[in-house]
Amino acid sequence: MKKIISDLIRQSNSIAIGGHVRPDGDCVGSCMGMYSYIAEHFPDKEVDVYLTDIPAAFDFIVCDEALEHGHQGDYDLYIAQDCGDVDRLEGSIEKFQSAKNTICIDHHISNTEFADHNYVVPEASSASELICTLLPIEEMSEFTAKALYTGIIHDTGVFRHSCTGRQTMEIAGKLIEKGFDFGKIIDESFYQKTYKQLKCMGYCLENAVSEYDGKLCYAVADYEFINSTGATSEHFEGTIDQMRTTEGVEVALLLTEYNPGEVKVSMRSNQYVDVSKIAVANGGGGHVRAAGATIRKPIDEALATVKELIWTEL
């Protein structure tokens, strides 16, 4: 697969790179890392990145020129990264479908292998880690390494999650040898919160509910709250992870309703519940310990649906 991907990149004059809707650190980091590597090593190629609503916390690894999309016509190659299903390539599905060749680089266990060439490794910590197994780290610039390191720390929870392995740590060590301030990246993109994020997290934690002998902890931010505060998904970053660390909790659940009757469900588990199964059952996907879905029902019904599935796993 490494040779196939390398050959396709070399043979393509126009390349699109895209990730999933509401991009997180791994999505942004892997896409910008791949973009910068190709742009630096193949300056004659036309490369565009398709990401929307990038959180401000990742501005330091965003290449503005990558988002300008000056290409006309079909791309020679589309590389989908950190995306388990073609429908989650919001804003660029048609670009993917019309491309002459397509690649998917992903680590979601629910991946549908929708590309011509699929490099899907569920055991990997992140798409950013996978890119480091495909591209030579010794040839990466400091910027490329910084973007990929950012992706790794966000999907591993700064190396705390069970997806972290020996390879993850070895790759991270090689990346930081490029000389960037890795401590600053961790503090400012992972731990640092805006005032609005603190308010949204505070609201969820204050109204969190504990059920099933403390094994389930969930919180709901309905449309009324979100509409009145102007909150976005960015403002709930870190909330569910805080709930997951509550003593005795196996599953943490966060429901946010940005549009009436359209509920985003985020799930985390600690030891034995496979939340990806629950997500897939509701049209979503993800990982064994972190997954999500969008349920188009009133928020009370969405909560009841997910709780019933969680109960069968507890």
Side-chain angles (χ1 to χ4, degrees):
M1 183 59 74
K2 183 175 182 178
K3 186 177 187 307
I4 291 173
I5 293 175
S6 176
D7 287 347
L8 283 172
I9 291 174
R10 290 180 182 277
Q11 295 164 8
S12 302
N13 292 317
S14 58
I15 301 172
I17 301 169
H20 61 74
V21 61
R22 295 186 294 272
D24 57 9
D26 185 31
C27 185
V28 178
S30 64
C31 287
M32 290 300 168
M34 178 65 84
Y35 167 82
S36 61
Y37 181 88
I38 296 174
E40 290 163 2
H41 289 82
F42 305 97
D44 293 335
K45 297 185 186 297
E46 186 175 9
V47 190
D48 295 330
V49 174
Y50 287 87
L51 291 177
T52 58
D53 300 322
I54 300 174
F58 305 121
D59 283 349
F60 69 101
I61 55 170
V62 172
C63 303
D64 292 335
E65 63 274 16
L67 304 174
E68 292 174 358
H69 307 163
H71 181 70
Q72 301 295 320
D74 299 337
Y75 286 96
D76 294 328
L77 176 65
Y78 189 116
I79 307 174
Q81 299 181 174
D82 196 36
C83 187
D85 190 290
V86 67
D87 290 336
R88 289 179 60 76
L89 291 173
E90 185 182 57
S92 64
I93 295 175
E94 292 182 359
K95 297 294 184 183
F96 176 89
Q97 293 173 333
S98 66
K100 296 174 185 176
N101 293 285
T102 58
I103 296 170
C104 177
I105 302 171
D106 188 34
H107 66 128
H108 291 87
I109 195 171
S110 58
N111 187 284
T112 60
E113 298 198 355
F114 55 91
D116 298 328
H117 305 279
N118 298 281
Y119 184 47
V120 181
V121 186
E123 298 78 18
S125 72
S126 55
S128 295
E129 177 181 326
L130 289 178
I131 289 172
C132 291
T133 68
L134 296 170
L135 304 178
I137 296 177
E138 62 272 14
E139 295 180 8
M140 292 181 185
S141 67
E142 179 181 328
F143 181 87
T144 300
K146 180 167 61 174
L148 295 172
Y149 181 83
T150 300
I152 290 173
I153 65 167
H154 275 265
D155 257 25
T156 61
V158 192
F159 311 111
R160 292 178 300 150
H161 298 335
S162 60
C163 61
T164 305
R166 177 176 178 172
Q167 177 177 266
T168 313
M169 302 301 287
E170 290 176 346
I171 286 174
K174 291 178 181 179
L175 292 173
I176 64 175
E177 287 179 347
K178 294 295 179 177
F180 55 84
D181 189 341
F182 61 88
K184 182 179 180 181
I185 290 175
I186 293 172
D187 284 343
E188 295 186 359
S189 74
F190 189 86
Y191 289 114
Q192 183 172 279
K193 306 297 179 188
T194 65
Y195 178 73
K196 197 166 188 176
Q197 285 175 317
L198 289 177
K199 296 289 285 185
C200 289
M201 180 182 290
Y203 173 85
C204 291
L205 297 181
E206 182 178 3
N207 294 284
V209 177
S210 176
E211 291 187 0
Y212 304 151
D213 296 325
K215 294 179 181 178
L216 170 65
C217 181
Y218 70 84
V220 174
D222 61 16
Y223 177 72
E224 182 179 355
F225 171 77
I226 289 177
N227 187 51
S228 65
T229 58
T232 66
S233 59
E234 179 179 353
H235 298 118
F236 292 94
E237 284 291 327
T239 297
I240 193 168
D241 293 306
Q242 189 66 46
M243 294 162 60
R244 182 189 62 80
T245 60
T246 304
E247 183 180 5
V249 166
E250 170 57 23
V251 178
L253 178 63
L254 175 64
L255 286 80
T256 47
E257 186 181 29
Y258 299 101
N259 297 300
E262 185 176 294
V263 183
K264 180 189 175 188
V265 180
S266 299
M267 292 174 282
R268 300 288 186 274
S269 66
N270 280 314
Q271 291 184 316
Y272 57 87
V273 173
D274 182 352
V275 291
S276 71
K277 289 166 48 179
I278 299 169
V280 169
N282 286 282
H287 312 292
V288 172
R289 298 285 173 259
T294 297
I295 301 178
R296 289 171 176 80
K297 293 181 179 179
I299 197 162
D300 291 342
E301 292 183 23
L303 175 61
T305 297
V306 177
K307 281 174 58 179
E308 182 177 358
L309 292 172
I310 291 174
W311 173 243
T312 64
E313 299 295 323
L314 292 173

